[in-house]
Amino acid sequence: NAGVTQTPKFRILKIGQSMTLQCTQDMNHNYMYWYRQDPGMGLKLIYYSVGAGITDKGEVPNGYNVSRSTTEDFPLRLELAAPSQTSVYFCASSLRDHTGELFFGEGSRLTVL
Amino acid sequence: KQEVTQIPAALSVPEGENLVLNCSFTDSAIYNLQWFRQDPGKGLTSLLLIQSSQREQTSGRLNASLDKSSGRSTLYIAASQPGDSATYLCAVRGSGGGADGLTFGKGTHLIIQP
């Protein structure tokens, strides 16, 4: 099993551009999450999904959108990129909420100039 | 609101030593606690998951304990090796966390000197 796969690993965007970070998991997990990690700030939840067709906002959703059309995929879209969105983005999944073990992807490092 | 603190923020020890990393949390109403390892430029790798009903979990040279009543968990690493150098994060999942129930600590940056 590949686990949680994220693409791209690195990307540089200009202010105002848009892009999609891809996330795929092959563990048939129901729950999927997007986090951003900034130096000294820990991980913050952007969006999460409890199953196909269901998404909900986390702590820092502004400037982002998600969709969950299949169990496997949970893309994160950045509209009108801003320098404040420069960060490392992690996708994660778990079989169950609350008691489930979290599995993370390798991360996508995004720089907005 | 749940708060998770990891002490120390950084630690450097010679190879071969046994060491303990600490994680404390303010709200004892948790579902579980998970320890992760993060290498530079990489994602988080799950090390151990302790459910609220458990006291400890072991995997190889790693042992994690949980004391819910005192709001503390420790990660014990035996016979440390240079390959153990990484940042170690604990994450607590409970009703006091965010939408996902999770609250992460900021991590302990561990360096094992050869």
Side-chain angles (χ1 to χ4, degrees), chain B residues 10-50:
Chain B
L11 182 63
S12 181
V13 300
E15 179 179 4
E17 282 200 5
N18 303 324
L19 57 98
V20 174
L21 306 181
N22 297 293
C23 173
S24 62
F25 47 95
T26 55
D27 185 348
S28 61
I30 67 169
Y31 304 119
N32 58 49
L33 184 147
Q34 193 167 356
W35 282 94
F36 295 91
R37 167 191 174 131
Q38 185 174 27
D39 294 287
K42 299 291 187 180
L44 281 70
T45 301
S46 178
L47 297 173
L48 291 163
L49 171 70
I50 310 177

PDB file of all heavy atoms in Angstrom, chain B residues 10-50:
ATOM      1  N   ALA B  10      13.920  21.233  22.696  1.00  0.00           N
ATOM      2  CA  ALA B  10      15.050  20.651  21.984  1.00  0.00           C
ATOM      3  C   ALA B  10      15.891  19.856  22.969  1.00  0.00           C
ATOM      4  O   ALA B  10      15.978  20.192  24.155  1.00  0.00           O
ATOM      5  CB  ALA B  10      15.890  21.729  21.310  1.00  0.00           C
ATOM      6  N   LEU B  11      16.519  18.812  22.454  1.00  0.00           N
ATOM      7  CA  LEU B  11      17.310  17.924  23.305  1.00  0.00           C
ATOM      8  C   LEU B  11      18.433  17.326  22.478  1.00  0.00           C
ATOM      9  O   LEU B  11      18.202  16.862  21.358  1.00  0.00           O
ATOM     10  CB  LEU B  11      16.412  16.814  23.850  1.00  0.00           C
ATOM     11  CG  LEU B  11      17.024  15.785  24.806  1.00  0.00           C
ATOM     12  CD1 LEU B  11      17.501  16.466  26.084  1.00  0.00           C
ATOM     13  CD2 LEU B  11      15.991  14.702  25.133  1.00  0.00           C
ATOM     14  N   SER B  12      19.645  17.343  23.043  1.00  0.00           N
ATOM     15  CA  SER B  12      20.798  16.751  22.362  1.00  0.00           C
ATOM     16  C   SER B  12      21.485  15.811  23.337  1.00  0.00           C
ATOM     17  O   SER B  12      21.869  16.229  24.434  1.00  0.00           O
ATOM     18  CB  SER B  12      21.762  17.845  21.897  1.00  0.00           C
ATOM     19  OG  SER B  12      22.874  17.280  21.226  1.00  0.00           O
ATOM     20  N   VAL B  13      21.620  14.543  22.956  1.00  0.00           N
ATOM     21  CA  VAL B  13      22.224  13.552  23.846  1.00  0.00           C
ATOM     22  C   VAL B  13      23.192  12.675  23.058  1.00  0.00           C
ATOM     23  O   VAL B  13      23.047  12.525  21.829  1.00  0.00           O
ATOM     24  CB  VAL B  13      21.156  12.662  24.516  1.00  0.00           C
ATOM     25  CG1 VAL B  13      20.204  13.503  25.349  1.00  0.00           C
ATOM     26  CG2 VAL B  13      20.403  11.844  23.493  1.00  0.00           C
ATOM     27  N   PRO B  14      24.171  12.069  23.747  1.00  0.00           N
ATOM     28  CA  PRO B  14      25.096  11.158  23.063  1.00  0.00           C
ATOM     29  C   PRO B  14      24.385   9.851  22.715  1.00  0.00           C
ATOM     30  O   PRO B  14      23.459   9.413  23.391  1.00  0.00           O
ATOM     31  CB  PRO B  14      26.202  10.923  24.097  1.00  0.00           C
ATOM     32  CG  PRO B  14      26.004  11.934  25.154  1.00  0.00           C
ATOM     33  CD  PRO B  14      24.566  12.292  25.137  1.00  0.00           C
ATOM     34  N   GLU B  15      24.885   9.243  21.656  1.00  0.00           N
ATOM     35  CA  GLU B  15      24.358   7.963  21.222  1.00  0.00           C
ATOM     36  C   GLU B  15      24.423   6.937  22.357  1.00  0.00           C
ATOM     37  O   GLU B  15      25.373   6.909  23.145  1.00  0.00           O
ATOM     38  CB  GLU B  15      25.200   7.466  20.032  1.00  0.00           C
ATOM     39  CG  GLU B  15      24.804   6.124  19.477  1.00  0.00           C
ATOM     40  CD  GLU B  15      25.682   5.723  18.288  1.00  0.00           C
ATOM     41  OE1 GLU B  15      26.636   6.466  17.970  1.00  0.00           O
ATOM     42  OE2 GLU B  15      25.393   4.675  17.679  1.00  0.00           O
ATOM     43  N   GLY B  16      23.400   6.098  22.440  1.00  0.00           N
ATOM     44  CA  GLY B  16      23.390   5.026  23.421  1.00  0.00           C
ATOM     45  C   GLY B  16      22.608   5.339  24.684  1.00  0.00           C
ATOM     46  O   GLY B  16      22.241   4.423  25.428  1.00  0.00           O
ATOM     47  N   GLU B  17      22.333   6.612  24.908  1.00  0.00           N
ATOM     48  CA  GLU B  17      21.597   6.978  26.120  1.00  0.00           C
ATOM     49  C   GLU B  17      20.121   6.653  25.984  1.00  0.00           C
ATOM     50  O   GLU B  17      19.555   6.685  24.885  1.00  0.00           O
ATOM     51  CB  GLU B  17      21.759   8.469  26.405  1.00  0.00           C
ATOM     52  CG  GLU B  17      23.093   8.824  27.026  1.00  0.00           C
ATOM     53  CD  GLU B  17      23.043  10.168  27.727  1.00  0.00           C
ATOM     54  OE1 GLU B  17      21.957  10.779  27.821  1.00  0.00           O
ATOM     55  OE2 GLU B  17      24.108  10.597  28.185  1.00  0.00           O
ATOM     56  N   ASN B  18      19.499   6.367  27.139  1.00  0.00           N
ATOM     57  CA  ASN B  18      18.045   6.267  27.191  1.00  0.00           C
ATOM     58  C   ASN B  18      17.501   7.661  27.473  1.00  0.00           C
ATOM     59  O   ASN B  18      18.114   8.441  28.216  1.00  0.00           O
ATOM     60  CB  ASN B  18      17.624   5.324  28.317  1.00  0.00           C
ATOM     61  CG  ASN B  18      18.230   3.941  28.168  1.00  0.00           C
ATOM     62  OD1 ASN B  18      18.393   3.436  27.056  1.00  0.00           O
ATOM     63  ND2 ASN B  18      18.595   3.331  29.283  1.00  0.00           N
ATOM     64  N   LEU B  19      16.359   8.002  26.870  1.00  0.00           N
ATOM     65  CA  LEU B  19      15.840   9.351  27.072  1.00  0.00           C
ATOM     66  C   LEU B  19      14.322   9.342  27.133  1.00  0.00           C
ATOM     67  O   LEU B  19      13.669   8.395  26.680  1.00  0.00           O
ATOM     68  CB  LEU B  19      16.338  10.277  25.965  1.00  0.00           C
ATOM     69  CG  LEU B  19      16.025   9.899  24.537  1.00  0.00           C
ATOM     70  CD1 LEU B  19      14.814  10.666  24.055  1.00  0.00           C
ATOM     71  CD2 LEU B  19      17.207  10.157  23.619  1.00  0.00           C
ATOM     72  N   VAL B  20      13.799  10.422  27.706  1.00  0.00           N
ATOM     73  CA  VAL B  20      12.354  10.569  27.880  1.00  0.00           C
ATOM     74  C   VAL B  20      11.910  11.914  27.322  1.00  0.00           C
ATOM     75  O   VAL B  20      12.489  12.955  27.651  1.00  0.00           O
ATOM     76  CB  VAL B  20      11.968  10.472  29.375  1.00  0.00           C
ATOM     77  CG1 VAL B  20      10.487  10.771  29.549  1.00  0.00           C
ATOM     78  CG2 VAL B  20      12.309   9.090  29.915  1.00  0.00           C
ATOM     79  N   LEU B  21      10.892  11.876  26.492  1.00  0.00           N
ATOM     80  CA  LEU B  21      10.254  13.087  25.988  1.00  0.00           C
ATOM     81  C   LEU B  21       8.899  13.225  26.674  1.00  0.00           C
ATOM     82  O   LEU B  21       8.194  12.231  26.868  1.00  0.00           O
ATOM     83  CB  LEU B  21      10.074  13.010  24.470  1.00  0.00           C
ATOM     84  CG  LEU B  21      11.334  12.705  23.661  1.00  0.00           C
ATOM     85  CD1 LEU B  21      11.003  12.689  22.169  1.00  0.00           C
ATOM     86  CD2 LEU B  21      12.441  13.689  23.958  1.00  0.00           C
ATOM     87  N   ASN B  22       8.545  14.457  27.001  1.00  0.00           N
ATOM     88  CA  ASN B  22       7.327  14.698  27.759  1.00  0.00           C
ATOM     89  C   ASN B  22       6.259  15.429  26.965  1.00  0.00           C
ATOM     90  O   ASN B  22       6.567  16.297  26.139  1.00  0.00           O
ATOM     91  CB  ASN B  22       7.656  15.526  29.007  1.00  0.00           C
ATOM     92  CG  ASN B  22       8.575  14.803  29.947  1.00  0.00           C
ATOM     93  OD1 ASN B  22       8.202  13.806  30.540  1.00  0.00           O
ATOM     94  ND2 ASN B  22       9.799  15.289  30.075  1.00  0.00           N
ATOM     95  N   CYS B  23       5.027  15.077  27.246  1.00  0.00           N
ATOM     96  CA  CYS B  23       3.880  15.722  26.624  1.00  0.00           C
ATOM     97  C   CYS B  23       2.823  15.906  27.711  1.00  0.00           C
ATOM     98  O   CYS B  23       2.472  14.934  28.400  1.00  0.00           O
ATOM     99  CB  CYS B  23       3.343  14.848  25.496  1.00  0.00           C
ATOM    100  SG  CYS B  23       1.788  15.409  24.754  1.00  0.00           S
ATOM    101  N   SER B  24       2.353  17.128  27.895  1.00  0.00           N
ATOM    102  CA  SER B  24       1.303  17.366  28.883  1.00  0.00           C
ATOM    103  C   SER B  24       0.105  18.033  28.218  1.00  0.00           C
ATOM    104  O   SER B  24       0.268  18.779  27.240  1.00  0.00           O
ATOM    105  CB  SER B  24       1.827  18.236  30.038  1.00  0.00           C
ATOM    106  OG  SER B  24       2.234  19.501  29.559  1.00  0.00           O
ATOM    107  N   PHE B  25      -1.075  17.751  28.733  1.00  0.00           N
ATOM    108  CA  PHE B  25      -2.296  18.302  28.161  1.00  0.00           C
ATOM    109  C   PHE B  25      -3.210  18.763  29.287  1.00  0.00           C
ATOM    110  O   PHE B  25      -3.161  18.248  30.408  1.00  0.00           O
ATOM    111  CB  PHE B  25      -2.989  17.295  27.235  1.00  0.00           C
ATOM    112  CG  PHE B  25      -3.127  15.904  27.802  1.00  0.00           C
ATOM    113  CD1 PHE B  25      -4.296  15.518  28.443  1.00  0.00           C
ATOM    114  CD2 PHE B  25      -2.091  14.987  27.674  1.00  0.00           C
ATOM    115  CE1 PHE B  25      -4.429  14.230  28.946  1.00  0.00           C
ATOM    116  CE2 PHE B  25      -2.212  13.712  28.183  1.00  0.00           C
ATOM    117  CZ  PHE B  25      -3.379  13.327  28.823  1.00  0.00           C
ATOM    118  N   THR B  26      -4.051  19.755  28.969  1.00  0.00           N
ATOM    119  CA  THR B  26      -4.822  20.418  30.030  1.00  0.00           C
ATOM    120  C   THR B  26      -6.189  19.790  30.279  1.00  0.00           C
ATOM    121  O   THR B  26      -6.724  19.902  31.376  1.00  0.00           O
ATOM    122  CB  THR B  26      -5.008  21.904  29.674  1.00  0.00           C
ATOM    123  OG1 THR B  26      -5.620  22.001  28.374  1.00  0.00           O
ATOM    124  CG2 THR B  26      -3.672  22.631  29.670  1.00  0.00           C
ATOM    125  N   ASP B  27      -6.769  19.147  29.261  1.00  0.00           N
ATOM    126  CA  ASP B  27      -8.101  18.557  29.390  1.00  0.00           C
ATOM    127  C   ASP B  27      -7.961  17.039  29.368  1.00  0.00           C
ATOM    128  O   ASP B  27      -7.554  16.473  28.367  1.00  0.00           O
ATOM    129  CB  ASP B  27      -8.991  19.030  28.242  1.00  0.00           C
ATOM    130  CG  ASP B  27     -10.434  18.560  28.370  1.00  0.00           C
ATOM    131  OD1 ASP B  27     -10.717  17.685  29.217  1.00  0.00           O
ATOM    132  OD2 ASP B  27     -11.279  19.077  27.624  1.00  0.00           O
ATOM    133  N   SER B  28      -8.312  16.390  30.466  1.00  0.00           N
ATOM    134  CA  SER B  28      -8.106  14.944  30.566  1.00  0.00           C
ATOM    135  C   SER B  28      -9.179  14.120  29.862  1.00  0.00           C
ATOM    136  O   SER B  28      -9.077  12.901  29.768  1.00  0.00           O
ATOM    137  CB  SER B  28      -8.046  14.533  32.044  1.00  0.00           C
ATOM    138  OG  SER B  28      -9.258  14.841  32.687  1.00  0.00           O
ATOM    139  N   ALA B  29     -10.203  14.770  29.330  1.00  0.00           N
ATOM    140  CA  ALA B  29     -11.269  14.057  28.609  1.00  0.00           C
ATOM    141  C   ALA B  29     -10.820  13.784  27.181  1.00  0.00           C
ATOM    142  O   ALA B  29     -11.247  14.467  26.243  1.00  0.00           O
ATOM    143  CB  ALA B  29     -12.558  14.874  28.623  1.00  0.00           C
ATOM    144  N   ILE B  30      -9.953  12.808  27.034  1.00  0.00           N
ATOM    145  CA  ILE B  30      -9.388  12.526  25.711  1.00  0.00           C
ATOM    146  C   ILE B  30      -9.838  11.159  25.217  1.00  0.00           C
ATOM    147  O   ILE B  30     -10.196  10.277  26.016  1.00  0.00           O
ATOM    148  CB  ILE B  30      -7.846  12.612  25.717  1.00  0.00           C
ATOM    149  CG1 ILE B  30      -7.254  11.492  26.574  1.00  0.00           C
ATOM    150  CG2 ILE B  30      -7.393  13.983  26.212  1.00  0.00           C
ATOM    151  CD1 ILE B  30      -5.737  11.363  26.414  1.00  0.00           C
ATOM    152  N   TYR B  31      -9.800  10.973  23.895  1.00  0.00           N
ATOM    153  CA  TYR B  31     -10.080   9.671  23.299  1.00  0.00           C
ATOM    154  C   TYR B  31      -8.789   8.876  23.140  1.00  0.00           C
ATOM    155  O   TYR B  31      -8.754   7.671  23.352  1.00  0.00           O
ATOM    156  CB  TYR B  31     -10.731   9.825  21.926  1.00  0.00           C
ATOM    157  CG  TYR B  31     -11.991  10.646  21.940  1.00  0.00           C
ATOM    158  CD1 TYR B  31     -12.083  11.822  21.206  1.00  0.00           C
ATOM    159  CD2 TYR B  31     -13.103  10.257  22.678  1.00  0.00           C
ATOM    160  CE1 TYR B  31     -13.237  12.582  21.207  1.00  0.00           C
ATOM    161  CE2 TYR B  31     -14.261  11.017  22.692  1.00  0.00           C
ATOM    162  CZ  TYR B  31     -14.312  12.180  21.957  1.00  0.00           C
ATOM    163  OH  TYR B  31     -15.453  12.936  21.966  1.00  0.00           O
ATOM    164  N   ASN B  32      -7.730   9.570  22.717  1.00  0.00           N
ATOM    165  CA  ASN B  32      -6.444   8.899  22.548  1.00  0.00           C
ATOM    166  C   ASN B  32      -5.327   9.929  22.438  1.00  0.00           C
ATOM    167  O   ASN B  32      -5.573  11.140  22.365  1.00  0.00           O
ATOM    168  CB  ASN B  32      -6.439   7.985  21.311  1.00  0.00           C
ATOM    169  CG  ASN B  32      -6.759   8.724  20.023  1.00  0.00           C
ATOM    170  OD1 ASN B  32      -6.191   9.767  19.735  1.00  0.00           O
ATOM    171  ND2 ASN B  32      -7.669   8.174  19.234  1.00  0.00           N
ATOM    172  N   LEU B  33      -4.111   9.441  22.435  1.00  0.00           N
ATOM    173  CA  LEU B  33      -2.924  10.276  22.263  1.00  0.00           C
ATOM    174  C   LEU B  33      -1.999   9.548  21.300  1.00  0.00           C
ATOM    175  O   LEU B  33      -1.798   8.331  21.396  1.00  0.00           O
ATOM    176  CB  LEU B  33      -2.227  10.512  23.603  1.00  0.00           C
ATOM    177  CG  LEU B  33      -1.011  11.441  23.617  1.00  0.00           C
ATOM    178  CD1 LEU B  33      -0.938  12.195  24.926  1.00  0.00           C
ATOM    179  CD2 LEU B  33       0.285  10.688  23.372  1.00  0.00           C
ATOM    180  N   GLN B  34      -1.457  10.296  20.362  1.00  0.00           N
ATOM    181  CA  GLN B  34      -0.606   9.680  19.333  1.00  0.00           C
ATOM    182  C   GLN B  34       0.740  10.388  19.295  1.00  0.00           C
ATOM    183  O   GLN B  34       0.789  11.627  19.300  1.00  0.00           O
ATOM    184  CB  GLN B  34      -1.316   9.761  17.964  1.00  0.00           C
ATOM    185  CG  GLN B  34      -0.709   8.911  16.875  1.00  0.00           C
ATOM    186  CD  GLN B  34      -1.637   8.787  15.646  1.00  0.00           C
ATOM    187  OE1 GLN B  34      -2.768   9.269  15.635  1.00  0.00           O
ATOM    188  NE2 GLN B  34      -1.148   8.133  14.624  1.00  0.00           N
ATOM    189  N   TRP B  35       1.810   9.611  19.227  1.00  0.00           N
ATOM    190  CA  TRP B  35       3.150  10.149  19.067  1.00  0.00           C
ATOM    191  C   TRP B  35       3.571   9.990  17.609  1.00  0.00           C
ATOM    192  O   TRP B  35       3.386   8.927  17.013  1.00  0.00           O
ATOM    193  CB  TRP B  35       4.142   9.419  19.968  1.00  0.00           C
ATOM    194  CG  TRP B  35       4.097   9.853  21.402  1.00  0.00           C
ATOM    195  CD1 TRP B  35       3.377   9.286  22.417  1.00  0.00           C
ATOM    196  CD2 TRP B  35       4.822  10.944  21.983  1.00  0.00           C
ATOM    197  NE1 TRP B  35       3.601   9.961  23.595  1.00  0.00           N
ATOM    198  CE2 TRP B  35       4.491  10.987  23.355  1.00  0.00           C
ATOM    199  CE3 TRP B  35       5.716  11.892  21.488  1.00  0.00           C
ATOM    200  CZ2 TRP B  35       5.012  11.926  24.241  1.00  0.00           C
ATOM    201  CZ3 TRP B  35       6.241  12.824  22.362  1.00  0.00           C
ATOM    202  CH2 TRP B  35       5.898  12.840  23.723  1.00  0.00           C
ATOM    203  N   PHE B  36       4.180  11.064  17.078  1.00  0.00           N
ATOM    204  CA  PHE B  36       4.656  11.073  15.705  1.00  0.00           C
ATOM    205  C   PHE B  36       6.138  11.439  15.677  1.00  0.00           C
ATOM    206  O   PHE B  36       6.649  12.120  16.559  1.00  0.00           O
ATOM    207  CB  PHE B  36       3.913  12.122  14.855  1.00  0.00           C
ATOM    208  CG  PHE B  36       2.459  11.869  14.665  1.00  0.00           C
ATOM    209  CD1 PHE B  36       1.535  12.403  15.547  1.00  0.00           C
ATOM    210  CD2 PHE B  36       2.007  11.128  13.584  1.00  0.00           C
ATOM    211  CE1 PHE B  36       0.179  12.197  15.367  1.00  0.00           C
ATOM    212  CE2 PHE B  36       0.658  10.917  13.393  1.00  0.00           C
ATOM    213  CZ  PHE B  36      -0.255  11.454  14.291  1.00  0.00           C
ATOM    214  N   ARG B  37       6.751  11.051  14.595  1.00  0.00           N
ATOM    215  CA  ARG B  37       8.117  11.479  14.293  1.00  0.00           C
ATOM    216  C   ARG B  37       8.078  12.238  12.981  1.00  0.00           C
ATOM    217  O   ARG B  37       7.382  11.824  12.037  1.00  0.00           O
ATOM    218  CB  ARG B  37       8.990  10.239  14.161  1.00  0.00           C
ATOM    219  CG  ARG B  37      10.347  10.487  13.562  1.00  0.00           C
ATOM    220  CD  ARG B  37      11.052   9.213  13.222  1.00  0.00           C
ATOM    221  NE  ARG B  37      12.297   9.554  12.523  1.00  0.00           N
ATOM    222  CZ  ARG B  37      13.473   9.053  12.827  1.00  0.00           C
ATOM    223  NH1 ARG B  37      13.571   8.156  13.802  1.00  0.00           N
ATOM    224  NH2 ARG B  37      14.548   9.412  12.159  1.00  0.00           N
ATOM    225  N   GLN B  38       8.805  13.361  12.913  1.00  0.00           N
ATOM    226  CA  GLN B  38       8.892  14.121  11.667  1.00  0.00           C
ATOM    227  C   GLN B  38      10.347  14.393  11.355  1.00  0.00           C
ATOM    228  O   GLN B  38      11.050  15.049  12.126  1.00  0.00           O
ATOM    229  CB  GLN B  38       8.115  15.445  11.767  1.00  0.00           C
ATOM    230  CG  GLN B  38       8.082  16.191  10.441  1.00  0.00           C
ATOM    231  CD  GLN B  38       7.197  17.418  10.470  1.00  0.00           C
ATOM    232  OE1 GLN B  38       6.973  18.026  11.517  1.00  0.00           O
ATOM    233  NE2 GLN B  38       6.673  17.799   9.315  1.00  0.00           N
ATOM    234  N   ASP B  39      10.798  13.898  10.213  1.00  0.00           N
ATOM    235  CA  ASP B  39      12.141  14.180   9.730  1.00  0.00           C
ATOM    236  C   ASP B  39      12.101  15.457   8.910  1.00  0.00           C
ATOM    237  O   ASP B  39      11.066  15.795   8.332  1.00  0.00           O
ATOM    238  CB  ASP B  39      12.657  13.015   8.898  1.00  0.00           C
ATOM    239  CG  ASP B  39      12.858  11.763   9.751  1.00  0.00           C
ATOM    240  OD1 ASP B  39      13.820  11.751  10.534  1.00  0.00           O
ATOM    241  OD2 ASP B  39      12.040  10.833   9.657  1.00  0.00           O
ATOM    242  N   PRO B  40      13.220  16.174   8.808  1.00  0.00           N
ATOM    243  CA  PRO B  40      13.239  17.451   8.077  1.00  0.00           C
ATOM    244  C   PRO B  40      12.707  17.318   6.661  1.00  0.00           C
ATOM    245  O   PRO B  40      13.136  16.435   5.899  1.00  0.00           O
ATOM    246  CB  PRO B  40      14.733  17.821   8.081  1.00  0.00           C
ATOM    247  CG  PRO B  40      15.273  17.157   9.293  1.00  0.00           C
ATOM    248  CD  PRO B  40      14.526  15.863   9.419  1.00  0.00           C
ATOM    249  N   GLY B  41      11.761  18.162   6.309  1.00  0.00           N
ATOM    250  CA  GLY B  41      11.201  18.152   4.962  1.00  0.00           C
ATOM    251  C   GLY B  41      10.291  16.979   4.672  1.00  0.00           C
ATOM    252  O   GLY B  41       9.929  16.755   3.514  1.00  0.00           O
ATOM    253  N   LYS B  42       9.905  16.240   5.697  1.00  0.00           N
ATOM    254  CA  LYS B  42       9.074  15.050   5.493  1.00  0.00           C
ATOM    255  C   LYS B  42       7.755  15.181   6.238  1.00  0.00           C
ATOM    256  O   LYS B  42       7.522  16.109   6.992  1.00  0.00           O
ATOM    257  CB  LYS B  42       9.811  13.800   5.994  1.00  0.00           C
ATOM    258  CG  LYS B  42      11.119  13.513   5.280  1.00  0.00           C
ATOM    259  CD  LYS B  42      10.892  13.078   3.858  1.00  0.00           C
ATOM    260  CE  LYS B  42      12.178  12.623   3.210  1.00  0.00           C
ATOM    261  NZ  LYS B  42      11.951  12.201   1.797  1.00  0.00           N
ATOM    262  N   GLY B  43       6.891  14.187   6.023  1.00  0.00           N
ATOM    263  CA  GLY B  43       5.621  14.155   6.718  1.00  0.00           C
ATOM    264  C   GLY B  43       5.755  13.577   8.111  1.00  0.00           C
ATOM    265  O   GLY B  43       6.853  13.286   8.584  1.00  0.00           O
ATOM    266  N   LEU B  44       4.626  13.402   8.772  1.00  0.00           N
ATOM    267  CA  LEU B  44       4.600  12.842  10.111  1.00  0.00           C
ATOM    268  C   LEU B  44       4.407  11.331  10.024  1.00  0.00           C
ATOM    269  O   LEU B  44       3.488  10.854   9.357  1.00  0.00           O
ATOM    270  CB  LEU B  44       3.457  13.444  10.925  1.00  0.00           C
ATOM    271  CG  LEU B  44       3.665  14.833  11.524  1.00  0.00           C
ATOM    272  CD1 LEU B  44       3.700  15.902  10.454  1.00  0.00           C
ATOM    273  CD2 LEU B  44       2.585  15.133  12.556  1.00  0.00           C
ATOM    274  N   THR B  45       5.266  10.615  10.717  1.00  0.00           N
ATOM    275  CA  THR B  45       5.166   9.160  10.761  1.00  0.00           C
ATOM    276  C   THR B  45       4.633   8.746  12.122  1.00  0.00           C
ATOM    277  O   THR B  45       5.201   9.122  13.149  1.00  0.00           O
ATOM    278  CB  THR B  45       6.545   8.516  10.528  1.00  0.00           C
ATOM    279  OG1 THR B  45       7.043   8.926   9.252  1.00  0.00           O
ATOM    280  CG2 THR B  45       6.453   6.998  10.580  1.00  0.00           C
ATOM    281  N   SER B  46       3.561   7.979  12.130  1.00  0.00           N
ATOM    282  CA  SER B  46       2.979   7.539  13.384  1.00  0.00           C
ATOM    283  C   SER B  46       3.899   6.548  14.079  1.00  0.00           C
ATOM    284  O   SER B  46       4.386   5.594  13.463  1.00  0.00           O
ATOM    285  CB  SER B  46       1.618   6.882  13.124  1.00  0.00           C
ATOM    286  OG  SER B  46       1.064   6.397  14.336  1.00  0.00           O
ATOM    287  N   LEU B  47       4.156   6.784  15.361  1.00  0.00           N
ATOM    288  CA  LEU B  47       4.992   5.893  16.155  1.00  0.00           C
ATOM    289  C   LEU B  47       4.144   5.001  17.055  1.00  0.00           C
ATOM    290  O   LEU B  47       4.276   3.778  17.028  1.00  0.00           O
ATOM    291  CB  LEU B  47       5.969   6.702  17.012  1.00  0.00           C
ATOM    292  CG  LEU B  47       6.991   7.555  16.268  1.00  0.00           C
ATOM    293  CD1 LEU B  47       7.774   8.419  17.249  1.00  0.00           C
ATOM    294  CD2 LEU B  47       7.926   6.685  15.453  1.00  0.00           C
ATOM    295  N   LEU B  48       3.306   5.633  17.850  1.00  0.00           N
ATOM    296  CA  LEU B  48       2.492   4.888  18.811  1.00  0.00           C
ATOM    297  C   LEU B  48       1.168   5.619  19.013  1.00  0.00           C
ATOM    298  O   LEU B  48       1.133   6.842  19.050  1.00  0.00           O
ATOM    299  CB  LEU B  48       3.211   4.753  20.166  1.00  0.00           C
ATOM    300  CG  LEU B  48       4.443   3.845  20.188  1.00  0.00           C
ATOM    301  CD1 LEU B  48       5.275   4.117  21.433  1.00  0.00           C
ATOM    302  CD2 LEU B  48       4.030   2.381  20.145  1.00  0.00           C
ATOM    303  N   LEU B  49       0.109   4.840  19.148  1.00  0.00           N
ATOM    304  CA  LEU B  49      -1.217   5.375  19.449  1.00  0.00           C
ATOM    305  C   LEU B  49      -1.673   4.738  20.753  1.00  0.00           C
ATOM    306  O   LEU B  49      -1.678   3.508  20.863  1.00  0.00           O
ATOM    307  CB  LEU B  49      -2.196   5.042  18.329  1.00  0.00           C
ATOM    308  CG  LEU B  49      -3.676   5.353  18.588  1.00  0.00           C
ATOM    309  CD1 LEU B  49      -3.905   6.851  18.620  1.00  0.00           C
ATOM    310  CD2 LEU B  49      -4.563   4.703  17.538  1.00  0.00           C
ATOM    311  N   ILE B  50      -2.027   5.560  21.743  1.00  0.00           N
ATOM    312  CA  ILE B  50      -2.526   5.048  23.017  1.00  0.00           C
ATOM    313  C   ILE B  50      -3.976   5.480  23.165  1.00  0.00           C
ATOM    314  O   ILE B  50      -4.276   6.679  23.180  1.00  0.00           O
ATOM    315  CB  ILE B  50      -1.718   5.586  24.218  1.00  0.00           C
ATOM    316  CG1 ILE B  50      -0.227   5.410  24.003  1.00  0.00           C
ATOM    317  CG2 ILE B  50      -2.147   4.899  25.497  1.00  0.00           C
ATOM    318  CD1 ILE B  50       0.607   5.988  25.144  1.00  0.00           C
TER     319      ILE B  50
END
